[in-house]
Amino acid sequence: MDSSEFRRRGKEMVDYIADYLENIEKRDVYPDVKPGYLRPLIPDSAPEHPESFEDIVKDVERVIMPGVTHWHSPYFFAYFPTANSFPSLLGDMLSGAIGCIGFSWAASPACTELETVMLDWLGKMINLPEQFLAGEAGEGGGVIQGTASESTLVALLAARTRMVRKVQAQNPELTENDILCRLVAYFSEEAHCSVERAALIGGVNMKKIPTNEKFSVCGKALRKAIEEDKTKGLIPFFFCATLGTTASCGFDNLLETGPICNEENMWMHIDAAYAGSAFICPEYRYLLNGIQFADSFNFNAHKWLLVNFDCSAMWVKKRADIIGAFKMDPVYLQHEHQESGTVTDYRHWQIPLGRRFRSLKMWFVFRMYGINALQEHIRKQIRLAHMFEDLVKQDERFEICAEVILGLVCFRLKSTNRTNEMLLQKINKARKIHIVPCHLRGKFVLRLAVCARTTELSHIQYAWEAIIKAAEEILMDERI
Ligand code: PLP
């Protein structure tokens, strides 16, 4: 393909994408295929000779689309949202074309510098304390990680190194292994499984902290766990607070847990993967109060801020903590400016070496929407969630299972777990809407998250009708 064909095919591809997104609601949101459906549809090995673009596009409809779960359908209400917007797609296209690997400043200065400035822009949008911003010579700063899971892992590993060094400085006779086996990480029983995974990968002890009736970790519960462990000779070193838990969108109490972490010299990381985007609205910013106690903070702009996957924004108060933990400096990665103190080499902030030019899509989104429109997007989705909550509350066969704070509604039939499991199965089997469940205090609960950018009240009403239709069929079968 030469550049003139690329121009033509590129325009056709843009048309295909625009048609796909414009007409997405005509497709069943959830695919009707069985595992292994794809292999028989395509040849066993790659073609020896070139094939035409037309044939490939035909196969997208024949092979790919039947097996796609349409995350951007307004009938998709599962998990949490993943962002999608036209400005972001354009930014990503350019990133693909530049195709640089920005592991160091010198490997592509614009890739590094735009990222640092975009993370400052975003930090200001959510009113992060100054210490988290890079500015021109700040000690903190932001980085784009691929996912919230990576951010938690990076924070935990940096915390581990910081504590090992601190204990060794006070007790030079102790080996690293003597200390590692005494370290304990804490997180909510409601934390995302990626937090537990980070502790497993980091090879440290871990303890889940019980939550209160709002699915929130409070200071007393964290304090109790820490004191118990200290009497056993263990070393508390890390607490991951969650803002917006995956099951019910609960918020840990930062104002109580933060000072405890500071007193105990523990690293406090905040995982706000979904909820973080809402903090751009001043009326939801209170949920982040207590951020001043944290060492690191992360949220997925790729969830709710109209920047396509992957774009997980992470900030640290002291960049030295994170850079110092992972620094590797072989000669082939060095460059003339690295000791100047004025450049950022992002390879030291993350696990992989390679990194894409992801800040371009942020830049496009922030400029083409502007903060006001992004705030309006968040507010609209929260309003829709409350409208769905009202529909549930008006039907006395159902109950709301957790306070609705942002765009997630947890609800169930006032019945057994078995009945609710059957309800979920029936809803998803119909393929008209898609939702996923969670467990809350042993109860099987259905979650409806407002996801697609194009979701309107009519889609919410349609979803509710699909739910009550399924519920009535199940309740009828139970009566027979
Ligand atoms: N943390 C929370 C609170 C989440 O809800 C999720 C996913 O929804 C994650 C972490 C994991 O996100 P990622 O896929 O970016 O690792």
Side-chain angles (χ1 to χ4, degrees):
M1 183 180 283
D2 58 15
S3 61
S4 74
E5 193 188 352
F6 175 69
R7 282 175 206 280
R8 189 154 64 90
R9 298 312 191 184
K11 283 165 195 147
E12 286 170 22
M13 193 46 136
V14 166
D15 280 340
Y16 180 84
I17 292 169
D19 286 345
Y20 167 68
L21 290 171
E22 233 170 63
N23 297 309
I24 197 166
E25 60 185 274
K26 293 185 191 145
R27 298 178 189 256
D28 280 353
V29 59
Y30 194 61
D32 187 9
V33 290
K34 300 242 159 5
Y37 91 94
L38 190 142
R39 188 179 278 277
L41 298 181
I42 58 174
D44 266 352
S45 45
E48 295 284 342
H49 302 291
E51 295 184 33
S52 75
F53 181 75
E54 281 91 348
D55 284 348
I56 300 171
V57 170
K58 265 190 230 142
D59 278 353
V60 170
E61 279 302 327
R62 185 181 66 89
V63 179
I64 304 300
M65 286 301 170
V68 171
T69 301
H70 298 286
W71 281 64
H72 302 289
S73 162
Y75 298 122
F76 182 91
F77 300 104
Y79 314 105
F80 275 139
T82 189
N84 197 345
S85 72
F86 294 119
S88 179
L89 290 174
L90 292 176
D92 229 1
M93 209 166 153
L94 180 59
S95 161
I98 293 175
C100 62
I101 306 293
F103 47 74
S104 68
W105 179 86
S108 199
C111 179
T112 296
E113 295 204 9
L114 187 67
E115 182 162 332
T116 308
V117 179
M118 284 308 101
L119 272 283
D120 274 3
W121 279 19
L122 185 53
K124 286 179 193 163
M125 280 158 68
I126 58 172
N127 200 10
L128 275 187
E130 194 72 27
Q131 299 125 294
F132 287 94
L133 306 183
E136 290 194 3
E139 286 185 27
V143 57
I144 303 175
Q145 305 282 2
T147 58
S149 310
E150 285 166 73
S151 301
T152 307
L153 178 61
V154 165
L156 180 132
L157 296 178
R160 192 181 75 166
T161 303
R162 188 173 81 176
M163 186 54 92
V164 167
R165 286 181 187 157
K166 178 169 171 280
V167 175
Q168 264 183 333
Q170 291 160 352
N171 308 274
E173 74 287 0
L174 294 180
T175 65
E176 191 172 332
N177 279 342
D178 294 335
I179 302 163
L180 280 178
C181 62
R182 289 168 55 200
L183 297 183
V184 199
Y186 302 87
F187 46 89
S188 163
E189 60 181 349
E190 292 290 326
H192 189 264
C193 61
S194 54
V195 184
E196 180 166 351
R197 198 144 180 263
L200 279 175
I201 296 170
V204 292
N205 302 295
M206 61 182 112
K207 194 173 244 183
K208 292 186 186 176
I209 309 293
T211 54
N212 64 16
E213 69 294 345
K214 292 187 158 182
F215 306 104
S216 158
V217 170
C218 62
K220 214 167 136 196
L222 179 63
R223 172 59 77 199
K224 182 166 176 282
I226 291 173
E227 292 309 328
E228 277 170 15
D229 285 342
K230 286 203 307 193
T231 59
K232 291 185 206 150
L234 297 175
I235 307 170
F237 82 106
F238 180 79
F239 172 55
C240 177
T242 307
L243 298 182
T245 56
T246 314
S248 68
C249 204
F251 288 79
D252 289 346
N253 189 327
L254 302 185
L255 290 167
E256 288 181 10
T257 54
I260 297 173
C261 293
N262 288 184
E263 268 166 45
E264 300 291 333
N265 284 308
M266 290 163 61
W267 184 296
M268 187 194 208
H269 176 68
I270 300 175
D271 170 10
Y274 161 69
S277 299
F279 307 152
I280 66 167
C281 300
E283 67 273 30
Y284 298 113
R285 172 59 175 76
Y286 76 96
L287 293 164
L288 189 58
N289 288 349
I291 172 72
Q292 65 273 22
F293 300 110
D295 294 278
S296 53
F297 170 67
N298 163 250
F299 82 90
N300 285 347
H302 67 238
K303 272 191 162 48
W304 207 9
L305 210 57
L306 300 182
V307 183
N308 285 47
F309 189 84
D310 52 344
C311 187
S312 187
M314 178 187 191
W315 291 265
V316 286
K317 231 186 224 164
K318 284 212 167 65
R319 55 171 66 200
D321 281 339
I322 197 168
I323 296 170
F326 309 121
K327 198 161 186 170
M328 289 282 147
D329 228 4
V331 68
Y332 49 83
L333 297 177
Q334 291 173 12
H335 58 90
E336 58 181 326
H337 299 287
Q338 69 179 36
E339 301 305 337
S340 67
T342 58
V343 301
T344 298
D345 287 333
Y346 274 127
R347 71 176 186 278
H348 303 310
W349 298 54
Q350 61 175 24
I351 292 164
L353 173 72
R355 55 201 333 277
R356 297 190 308 122
F357 201 160
R358 292 177 288 208
S359 55
L360 273 176
K361 58 191 172 189
M362 296 177 98
W363 197 43
F364 277 48
V365 167
F366 295 165
R367 295 182 64 188
M368 293 183 77
Y369 277 95
I371 297 173
N372 289 342
L374 293 172
Q375 288 170 332
E376 202 30 57
H377 167 67
I378 300 282
R379 288 180 181 130
K380 178 175 172 186
Q381 297 219 319
I382 296 174
R383 273 199 307 274
L384 289 173
H386 283 297
M387 288 173 185
F388 181 78
E389 179 190 16
D390 288 343
L391 291 170
V392 177
K393 280 183 170 164
Q394 283 160 26
D395 189 323
E396 58 185 22
R397 294 168 296 180
F398 286 85
E399 60 186 345
I400 293 287
C401 306
E403 186 185 356
V404 178
I405 300 175
L406 301 177
L408 174 70
V409 184
C410 291
F411 66 103
R412 74 196 301 265
L413 272 171
K414 291 176 188 160
S415 184
T416 60
N417 281 354
R418 180 76 199 114
T419 301
N420 279 287
E421 280 168 30
M422 288 191 315
L423 173 61
L424 179 88
Q425 265 177 23
K426 206 169 192 59
I427 293 167
N428 283 337
K429 254 192 161 161
R431 304 180 201 288
K432 297 300 170 201
I433 66 166
H434 188 46
I435 55 178
V436 293
C438 68
H439 279 129
L440 290 176
R441 307 261 182 266
K443 284 186 174 174
F444 186 89
V445 168
L446 281 62
R447 292 166 81 261
L448 182 136
V450 180
C451 287
R453 175 174 53 82
T454 52
T455 310
E456 297 290 342
L457 179 57
S458 59
H459 303 111
I460 297 288
Q461 284 165 336
Y462 180 93
W464 178 239
E465 279 159 24
I467 292 164
I468 46 176
K469 179 169 177 285
E472 276 162 8
E473 285 169 15
I474 282 179
L475 293 174
M476 180 86 80
D477 288 349
E478 279 188 347
R479 264 184 245 124
I480 293 168

